[in-house]
Amino acid sequence: MITFNYETYFELKSEILLKNWIENVVAEEDFSIGEINYIFCDDDYLHKLNVEFLQHDTLTDIISFDNTLGKLISGDIYISVERVRDNAKDFKVSFLDELHRVMIHGVLHYMGYKDKSEKEKIKMRNAENTALLSIN
């Protein structure tokens, strides 16, 4: 089950489309969805989580807490809408394109994709790009 929760003014306009898209991406990787909770928030909200749980005193666009068991993916994905909006401007992409990239990025982590090394970042970016091609 995928749920969308809002701790800020923002709301998705197409929850069903996004649920179907995420479910298809997960199935393509031979995983199943347990429970994925998206929490959309602002910078302050996510910053507090970053400090409290990760001891990082920085702003970030996403924090994911992974509860995956084997091939059954579950977890909480917190996304700062403010950070995504700023990053979209910096990367010269639309807000929705950047939001979708961040949304699938968290799920890809649950399926074993990493992004610490340069090689891992390339593999993650390729998986994101492949997923983004199937959103429509």
Side-chain angles (χ1 to χ4, degrees):
M1 178 170 71
I2 299 171
T3 59
F4 300 108
N5 306 280
Y6 305 96
E7 295 294 331
T8 187
Y9 62 90
F10 173 80
E11 260 189 64
L12 293 170
K13 291 183 176 38
S14 53
E15 288 185 0
I16 293 170
L17 172 86
L18 292 171
K19 283 181 186 183
N20 291 337
W21 170 60
I22 295 162
E23 288 168 355
N24 289 336
V25 170
V26 168
E28 285 289 319
E29 294 274 343
D30 294 321
F31 282 79
S32 299
I33 293 178
E35 187 173 328
I36 299 174
N37 298 302
Y38 283 93
I39 302 91
F40 296 94
C41 57
D42 60 19
D43 280 346
D44 288 340
Y45 190 103
L46 199 54
H47 180 252
K48 287 175 188 169
L49 291 177
N50 209 11
V51 170
E52 182 178 345
F53 292 101
L54 303 175
Q55 291 73 50
H56 297 153
D57 190 11
T58 59
L59 295 176
T60 187
D61 53 359
I62 182 173
I63 295 176
S64 59
F65 296 97
D66 189 356
N67 297 318
T68 297
L69 295 171
K71 292 276 191 172
L72 185 67
I73 64 168
S74 296
D76 297 321
I77 299 173
Y78 292 83
I79 296 174
S80 168
V81 177
E82 289 177 285
R83 204 65 3 242
V84 170
R85 186 165 276 115
D86 286 351
N87 288 346
K89 288 177 189 170
D90 291 345
F91 301 142
K92 296 179 179 28
V93 298
S94 75
F95 169 75
L96 281 179
D97 285 348
E98 185 63 14
L99 179 65
H100 296 156
R101 181 177 300 281
V102 171
M103 289 175 71
I104 208 63
H105 181 92
V107 171
L108 290 169
H109 272 305
Y110 296 165
M111 295 187 293
Y113 287 86
K114 309 278 187 234
D115 57 6
K116 296 297 180 199
S117 73
E118 196 57 39
K119 186 176 179 181
E120 291 171 337
K121 286 178 186 176
I122 291 169
K123 190 173 179 182
M124 172 69 87
R125 183 52 57 116
N126 288 338
E128 291 169 359
N129 288 339
T130 299
L132 289 169
L133 289 173
S134 68
I135 196 162
N136 296 329

